[in-house]
Every structure is written in C-alpha cells, then in structure tokens.
Amino acid sequence: MVESKIRVLVAKPGLDGHDRGAKVIARAFRDAGFEVIYTGLRQTPEQIVAAAIQEDVDVVAISLLSGAHNTLMPKIVNLLKEKGAGDKLVIGGGVIPDDDIPGLKAAGIAEVFTPGTPTSVPIEFIKANVKK
Amino acid sequence: MAIARLITKAENEDPEATIALRQLYPKTGRAFLVGITGPPGSGKSTLTDKLVKELRKRNKTVGVIAVDPSSPFTGGAILGDRIRMSDLALDEGVFIRSMGTRGSLGGLSQASHAAIKILDAAGFDYILIETVGVGQSEIDIVKTADTTVVVTVPGLGDDIQAIKAGIMEIGDIFVVNKADRDGADRVVIELSQMLELNQNMGEWFPPILKTVASRNEGIIQLVEKIDAHKDFLNSSGELIIRRKERISNEIFNLILKRVSVEIMRKLAEDNWENELAEILEKRKNPYDVIDRVIKELLQ
C-alpha cells in the first residue's frame, strides 16, 4: 500500500463570481501535497455533493463570499449525510461574520476560516482532522 | 459510492482493491474505451463534456477518467477538468473521476487501468480517458484505449512537430478543435500530409475533423467517427488484437512492479550500502553485481 493522498474538493456554491480566494487556497492545498478537485463557479449544493462522492474526497472546502453561507453550507452537510457520505470533513471559508460561526459549526461545518487566515492554518487543520 | 471508494483503494494500492478486481475481472470487456489526448489548452475537457452529452442523448452511459499531472515536488495536484463538466454532475448515467499522475513509475497507469476495469464492470457503455498528451505515462494510457482521439488547435506553431514526434502514430481520429480560429484549415492539411507519410497504415485511415467544442459544433460527427472506428475494430478483428496487447502490457508492468519491489527489499537486506561504497571505490564493478543479483533472484 502506498501512502494515501488527501483529496480535497474546493467548491464555490451559489451566485458569487469571485473565485480568487478559492484558487489561492486550491494552490496552497496542492503545494501541501493534497489532490485538489476544483469544480468552478456557481455550483449548486447537489452538484458539489455529487462531485464529492464520485471523487471520493476526504474534505469538502466551501468558499463563499455571497452571504448565503447560513443556507448553503448546512445544506451541503445535510446532503452529504443523506447520501451516506457524512464522514467527509466539511470546512468553510470566506467573508463570514463571527456571529454566524457557532451556528455553522453546530450545523456540521468542522471549521470556518475568515479573511486574513494564513493558508497554513486550514492545511494543518485538514492534516490533523482527516481520518486516514 | 462503492465505485468511488474502490477507485480510491486502487489508487492507494490497497490489497482490498486487488481482491475486488479479481472478482470484477470476468465482468469487464463490455465498455468501449476512448482515449482523448492533446496539448494543454486544446479543449480536451470541453470536448469530453460535449461528447458525453451527445452519448447520453443516444442513451449510452459514460464513465470519464480525467487525468492531470501531479506536482513532481509536492505530489499535490489541481484537478480542474470537472470545471467544464459541471452540468454532468447530477446525471446518474455519468461518472466522472479525476486522477493525478502521482508521478511514480507506472503508478498512474496501474491505477487508471484499475479505474477503467471498475467502471467497465459497473456497466458503463463508454469510458472516456482524458489525458495531456505529453509524457510517456500519459501516452501509455491513451495507447491502451480502443479508440484514441488526438486533439489539437490552430496557432500552436511547433505543436504539429510535437504531435509528429509523440502521438501521430496513436491517433485513430484527429480533431482540430477551436476550428473557428484562423489557420484551422492549414492544420488539417498539415495533419493529412503527415498521415499520408505514415507507412503501414493498415485499413483504417484516421479521419481529421474540425470542431468548435464550446459551441457544440462537430460533436455529432465525432461520435459518428468513434462509432465507425468501433465497427471497424469489431469487423476487422483489430479490437481483439488491441485488447490482447493491452492486457499483455498491463500484466507485464504489474509483474515488473512486484519484482522490483522484491529486488529493492532484497538489496536492502544484502548489505547494499557497503556494496555501493565498494563500487564507488572501484573495488567492485556494477556489472558483476548486477549479474550476481539477477542470478540470485532467478534461483
């Protein structure tokens, strides 16, 4: 058996067209040795979950700047659970008010990273929390 | 779900994958394998997306294996082929899997062969394997497809030269994508001239098609050519020859891999470091050592 690679889906749900952050994080993840599947802009939660399952990723990293995080992030977690893929680590990043973070965590988002976080922080978080 | 997990196990060389593949093997061989290769930016992913949609219109189920290079430095990869295929995500008749080359000796071809078998046994009618047509390992995979589509675009200058050196021989169908750009006809002429120079061409003369994948132009014709090539392979007996060659290569590579693991293990046991030092100091020569190792190995 070879050392298994951590596979991460970087997803951009909803309508905002800003994927600079998603691309920066995708690159940082690649440089950390992860295999990153990037699905592009304006994905529905259903598309993201289908891709996460087919790609058998360990982590779903959701980048969201539109303000719809309270709706879309929990929806992705719930859909994953419905499809029997509730074991995947779901993390979020973007412009997310501090007040919303406890609610997101209660909804199953393992961690939320806000602007200014060094890319090493989510990388270390993933390494520490992926079940391998 | 089960398909996805099993592919992961095969990629990680988990022994469970081999057990599963043993059981799956008798169920393989029904799917038709189409390799799609070409230089970066030639529109392979968009073309693949449109091909899948056309095949779905014809009620065929499709598996896609999209291979992108892994970084040789970190082993990481950004696999972005799904960006062009996001409308397919919710179609139950389509399964898309992105794979990184993971760099190592034959590692990619082993995992992708396993993925092909898993999708084949799962009953997909067509399996499309998309790779960048540079580098030997990518060419190896594509070479093993039943039909290989080589994609190029106008305006790449010396690209034709690259194709000539590498993959001219393996194309069963050539596609000049982005054919709304200047110079498309010239690329077609250059390709056809080069194909005419090919000796021992056999009975199938590779067609050259123009497509504009982003506007869905030329896709129906491409599917028709793929099916025509499929019919040709069946009626000429070439399909069996190709598949025999493929399984032969695959078995050979798997044996090589297992044996090389054994050799490395044995060398490590045999005081290898000291022997290397002796070779460096010229007290031994490499050739005697090689002979000895092989002799011991074959005992």
PDB file of all heavy atoms in Angstrom, chain B residues 104-125:
ATOM      1  N   SER B 104       4.901   8.516  -9.903  1.00  0.00           N
ATOM      2  CA  SER B 104       5.842   7.406  -9.785  1.00  0.00           C
ATOM      3  C   SER B 104       5.746   6.403 -10.923  1.00  0.00           C
ATOM      4  O   SER B 104       4.775   6.361 -11.655  1.00  0.00           O
ATOM      5  CB  SER B 104       5.647   6.696  -8.458  1.00  0.00           C
ATOM      6  OG  SER B 104       4.402   6.039  -8.494  1.00  0.00           O
ATOM      7  N   LEU B 105       6.749   5.585 -10.989  1.00  0.00           N
ATOM      8  CA  LEU B 105       6.920   4.586 -12.045  1.00  0.00           C
ATOM      9  C   LEU B 105       5.672   3.758 -12.320  1.00  0.00           C
ATOM     10  O   LEU B 105       5.362   2.839 -11.569  1.00  0.00           O
ATOM     11  CB  LEU B 105       8.036   3.623 -11.612  1.00  0.00           C
ATOM     12  CG  LEU B 105       9.403   4.253 -11.411  1.00  0.00           C
ATOM     13  CD1 LEU B 105      10.205   3.462 -10.407  1.00  0.00           C
ATOM     14  CD2 LEU B 105      10.121   4.358 -12.734  1.00  0.00           C
ATOM     15  N   GLY B 106       5.032   4.053 -13.402  1.00  0.00           N
ATOM     16  CA  GLY B 106       3.891   3.241 -13.783  1.00  0.00           C
ATOM     17  C   GLY B 106       2.716   3.324 -12.824  1.00  0.00           C
ATOM     18  O   GLY B 106       1.721   2.648 -13.007  1.00  0.00           O
ATOM     19  N   GLY B 107       2.835   4.148 -11.807  1.00  0.00           N
ATOM     20  CA  GLY B 107       1.766   4.237 -10.819  1.00  0.00           C
ATOM     21  C   GLY B 107       0.464   4.686 -11.427  1.00  0.00           C
ATOM     22  O   GLY B 107      -0.589   4.136 -11.137  1.00  0.00           O
ATOM     23  N   LEU B 108       0.555   5.658 -12.278  1.00  0.00           N
ATOM     24  CA  LEU B 108      -0.653   6.177 -12.894  1.00  0.00           C
ATOM     25  C   LEU B 108      -1.318   5.124 -13.745  1.00  0.00           C
ATOM     26  O   LEU B 108      -2.520   4.905 -13.653  1.00  0.00           O
ATOM     27  CB  LEU B 108      -0.315   7.376 -13.771  1.00  0.00           C
ATOM     28  CG  LEU B 108      -1.455   7.775 -14.685  1.00  0.00           C
ATOM     29  CD1 LEU B 108      -2.612   8.296 -13.877  1.00  0.00           C
ATOM     30  CD2 LEU B 108      -1.004   8.806 -15.669  1.00  0.00           C
ATOM     31  N   SER B 109      -0.531   4.456 -14.569  1.00  0.00           N
ATOM     32  CA  SER B 109      -1.203   3.538 -15.476  1.00  0.00           C
ATOM     33  C   SER B 109      -1.846   2.404 -14.700  1.00  0.00           C
ATOM     34  O   SER B 109      -2.931   1.965 -15.026  1.00  0.00           O
ATOM     35  CB  SER B 109      -0.263   3.025 -16.554  1.00  0.00           C
ATOM     36  OG  SER B 109       0.954   2.666 -16.023  1.00  0.00           O
ATOM     37  N   GLN B 110      -1.207   2.005 -13.617  1.00  0.00           N
ATOM     38  CA  GLN B 110      -1.796   0.936 -12.821  1.00  0.00           C
ATOM     39  C   GLN B 110      -3.144   1.367 -12.234  1.00  0.00           C
ATOM     40  O   GLN B 110      -4.140   0.670 -12.370  1.00  0.00           O
ATOM     41  CB  GLN B 110      -0.836   0.570 -11.694  1.00  0.00           C
ATOM     42  CG  GLN B 110      -1.221  -0.720 -11.013  1.00  0.00           C
ATOM     43  CD  GLN B 110      -0.284  -1.023  -9.848  1.00  0.00           C
ATOM     44  OE1 GLN B 110       0.864  -0.620  -9.848  1.00  0.00           O
ATOM     45  NE2 GLN B 110      -0.798  -1.723  -8.876  1.00  0.00           N
ATOM     46  N   ALA B 111      -3.176   2.535 -11.628  1.00  0.00           N
ATOM     47  CA  ALA B 111      -4.415   3.000 -11.014  1.00  0.00           C
ATOM     48  C   ALA B 111      -5.487   3.275 -12.066  1.00  0.00           C
ATOM     49  O   ALA B 111      -6.657   2.981 -11.850  1.00  0.00           O
ATOM     50  CB  ALA B 111      -4.153   4.253 -10.192  1.00  0.00           C
ATOM     51  N   SER B 112      -5.071   3.812 -13.206  1.00  0.00           N
ATOM     52  CA  SER B 112      -6.092   4.121 -14.200  1.00  0.00           C
ATOM     53  C   SER B 112      -6.611   2.852 -14.858  1.00  0.00           C
ATOM     54  O   SER B 112      -7.791   2.757 -15.160  1.00  0.00           O
ATOM     55  CB  SER B 112      -5.575   5.119 -15.231  1.00  0.00           C
ATOM     56  OG  SER B 112      -4.493   4.565 -15.911  1.00  0.00           O
ATOM     57  N   HIS B 113      -5.748   1.861 -15.040  1.00  0.00           N
ATOM     58  CA  HIS B 113      -6.248   0.577 -15.551  1.00  0.00           C
ATOM     59  C   HIS B 113      -7.270  -0.013 -14.594  1.00  0.00           C
ATOM     60  O   HIS B 113      -8.289  -0.560 -15.016  1.00  0.00           O
ATOM     61  CB  HIS B 113      -5.097  -0.429 -15.702  1.00  0.00           C
ATOM     62  CG  HIS B 113      -4.315  -0.247 -16.955  1.00  0.00           C
ATOM     63  ND1 HIS B 113      -2.943  -0.202 -16.991  1.00  0.00           N
ATOM     64  CD2 HIS B 113      -4.708  -0.096 -18.230  1.00  0.00           C
ATOM     65  CE1 HIS B 113      -2.547  -0.021 -18.229  1.00  0.00           C
ATOM     66  NE2 HIS B 113      -3.602   0.039 -19.000  1.00  0.00           N
ATOM     67  N   ALA B 114      -6.986   0.104 -13.301  1.00  0.00           N
ATOM     68  CA  ALA B 114      -7.925  -0.415 -12.310  1.00  0.00           C
ATOM     69  C   ALA B 114      -9.237   0.362 -12.374  1.00  0.00           C
ATOM     70  O   ALA B 114     -10.323  -0.225 -12.367  1.00  0.00           O
ATOM     71  CB  ALA B 114      -7.312  -0.335 -10.915  1.00  0.00           C
ATOM     72  N   ALA B 115      -9.128   1.687 -12.479  1.00  0.00           N
ATOM     73  CA  ALA B 115     -10.338   2.521 -12.536  1.00  0.00           C
ATOM     74  C   ALA B 115     -11.175   2.171 -13.769  1.00  0.00           C
ATOM     75  O   ALA B 115     -12.403   2.100 -13.702  1.00  0.00           O
ATOM     76  CB  ALA B 115      -9.961   3.998 -12.538  1.00  0.00           C
ATOM     77  N   ILE B 116     -10.484   1.927 -14.873  1.00  0.00           N
ATOM     78  CA  ILE B 116     -11.195   1.551 -16.104  1.00  0.00           C
ATOM     79  C   ILE B 116     -11.968   0.252 -15.876  1.00  0.00           C
ATOM     80  O   ILE B 116     -13.146   0.138 -16.225  1.00  0.00           O
ATOM     81  CB  ILE B 116     -10.193   1.380 -17.275  1.00  0.00           C
ATOM     82  CG1 ILE B 116      -9.644   2.746 -17.710  1.00  0.00           C
ATOM     83  CG2 ILE B 116     -10.850   0.673 -18.462  1.00  0.00           C
ATOM     84  CD1 ILE B 116      -8.415   2.660 -18.613  1.00  0.00           C
ATOM     85  N   LYS B 117     -11.327  -0.715 -15.254  1.00  0.00           N
ATOM     86  CA  LYS B 117     -11.989  -2.007 -15.032  1.00  0.00           C
ATOM     87  C   LYS B 117     -13.184  -1.856 -14.094  1.00  0.00           C
ATOM     88  O   LYS B 117     -14.223  -2.484 -14.300  1.00  0.00           O
ATOM     89  CB  LYS B 117     -11.008  -3.012 -14.439  1.00  0.00           C
ATOM     90  CG  LYS B 117     -10.002  -3.485 -15.451  1.00  0.00           C
ATOM     91  CD  LYS B 117      -9.391  -4.800 -15.029  1.00  0.00           C
ATOM     92  CE  LYS B 117      -8.290  -5.183 -15.976  1.00  0.00           C
ATOM     93  NZ  LYS B 117      -7.154  -4.216 -15.914  1.00  0.00           N
ATOM     94  N   ILE B 118     -13.012  -1.017 -13.080  1.00  0.00           N
ATOM     95  CA  ILE B 118     -14.107  -0.820 -12.113  1.00  0.00           C
ATOM     96  C   ILE B 118     -15.320  -0.206 -12.820  1.00  0.00           C
ATOM     97  O   ILE B 118     -16.450  -0.659 -12.649  1.00  0.00           O
ATOM     98  CB  ILE B 118     -13.621   0.051 -10.932  1.00  0.00           C
ATOM     99  CG1 ILE B 118     -12.578  -0.733 -10.122  1.00  0.00           C
ATOM    100  CG2 ILE B 118     -14.785   0.485 -10.049  1.00  0.00           C
ATOM    101  CD1 ILE B 118     -11.710   0.126  -9.206  1.00  0.00           C
ATOM    102  N   LEU B 119     -15.070   0.807 -13.650  1.00  0.00           N
ATOM    103  CA  LEU B 119     -16.176   1.449 -14.364  1.00  0.00           C
ATOM    104  C   LEU B 119     -16.776   0.496 -15.399  1.00  0.00           C
ATOM    105  O   LEU B 119     -17.989   0.467 -15.614  1.00  0.00           O
ATOM    106  CB  LEU B 119     -15.708   2.741 -15.042  1.00  0.00           C
ATOM    107  CG  LEU B 119     -15.319   3.882 -14.099  1.00  0.00           C
ATOM    108  CD1 LEU B 119     -14.745   5.060 -14.882  1.00  0.00           C
ATOM    109  CD2 LEU B 119     -16.519   4.345 -13.287  1.00  0.00           C
ATOM    110  N   ASP B 120     -15.922  -0.278 -16.038  1.00  0.00           N
ATOM    111  CA  ASP B 120     -16.362  -1.254 -17.031  1.00  0.00           C
ATOM    112  C   ASP B 120     -17.291  -2.284 -16.376  1.00  0.00           C
ATOM    113  O   ASP B 120     -18.419  -2.517 -16.830  1.00  0.00           O
ATOM    114  CB  ASP B 120     -15.095  -1.912 -17.626  1.00  0.00           C
ATOM    115  CG  ASP B 120     -15.390  -2.827 -18.791  1.00  0.00           C
ATOM    116  OD1 ASP B 120     -16.573  -3.153 -19.023  1.00  0.00           O
ATOM    117  OD2 ASP B 120     -14.423  -3.244 -19.473  1.00  0.00           O
ATOM    118  N   ALA B 121     -16.836  -2.844 -15.279  1.00  0.00           N
ATOM    119  CA  ALA B 121     -17.640  -3.856 -14.590  1.00  0.00           C
ATOM    120  C   ALA B 121     -18.932  -3.255 -14.040  1.00  0.00           C
ATOM    121  O   ALA B 121     -19.939  -3.951 -13.899  1.00  0.00           O
ATOM    122  CB  ALA B 121     -16.831  -4.482 -13.460  1.00  0.00           C
ATOM    123  N   ALA B 122     -18.902  -1.948 -13.749  1.00  0.00           N
ATOM    124  CA  ALA B 122     -20.107  -1.287 -13.239  1.00  0.00           C
ATOM    125  C   ALA B 122     -21.137  -1.091 -14.354  1.00  0.00           C
ATOM    126  O   ALA B 122     -22.264  -0.682 -14.099  1.00  0.00           O
ATOM    127  CB  ALA B 122     -19.754   0.059 -12.612  1.00  0.00           C
ATOM    128  N   GLY B 123     -20.729  -1.360 -15.596  1.00  0.00           N
ATOM    129  CA  GLY B 123     -21.696  -1.382 -16.690  1.00  0.00           C
ATOM    130  C   GLY B 123     -21.751  -0.144 -17.572  1.00  0.00           C
ATOM    131  O   GLY B 123     -22.676  -0.010 -18.375  1.00  0.00           O
ATOM    132  N   PHE B 124     -20.782   0.748 -17.449  1.00  0.00           N
ATOM    133  CA  PHE B 124     -20.811   1.918 -18.327  1.00  0.00           C
ATOM    134  C   PHE B 124     -20.545   1.494 -19.774  1.00  0.00           C
ATOM    135  O   PHE B 124     -19.694   0.638 -20.033  1.00  0.00           O
ATOM    136  CB  PHE B 124     -19.792   2.965 -17.873  1.00  0.00           C
ATOM    137  CG  PHE B 124     -20.218   3.654 -16.610  1.00  0.00           C
ATOM    138  CD1 PHE B 124     -19.756   3.226 -15.376  1.00  0.00           C
ATOM    139  CD2 PHE B 124     -21.124   4.704 -16.659  1.00  0.00           C
ATOM    140  CE1 PHE B 124     -20.179   3.828 -14.202  1.00  0.00           C
ATOM    141  CE2 PHE B 124     -21.551   5.325 -15.491  1.00  0.00           C
ATOM    142  CZ  PHE B 124     -21.083   4.889 -14.259  1.00  0.00           C
ATOM    143  N   ASP B 125     -21.302   2.095 -20.708  1.00  0.00           N
ATOM    144  CA  ASP B 125     -21.173   1.700 -22.121  1.00  0.00           C
ATOM    145  C   ASP B 125     -19.878   2.235 -22.725  1.00  0.00           C
ATOM    146  O   ASP B 125     -19.223   1.560 -23.505  1.00  0.00           O
ATOM    147  CB  ASP B 125     -22.359   2.250 -22.935  1.00  0.00           C
ATOM    148  CG  ASP B 125     -23.686   1.680 -22.462  1.00  0.00           C
ATOM    149  OD1 ASP B 125     -23.740   0.452 -22.245  1.00  0.00           O
ATOM    150  OD2 ASP B 125     -24.653   2.448 -22.287  1.00  0.00           O
TER     151      ASP B 125
END
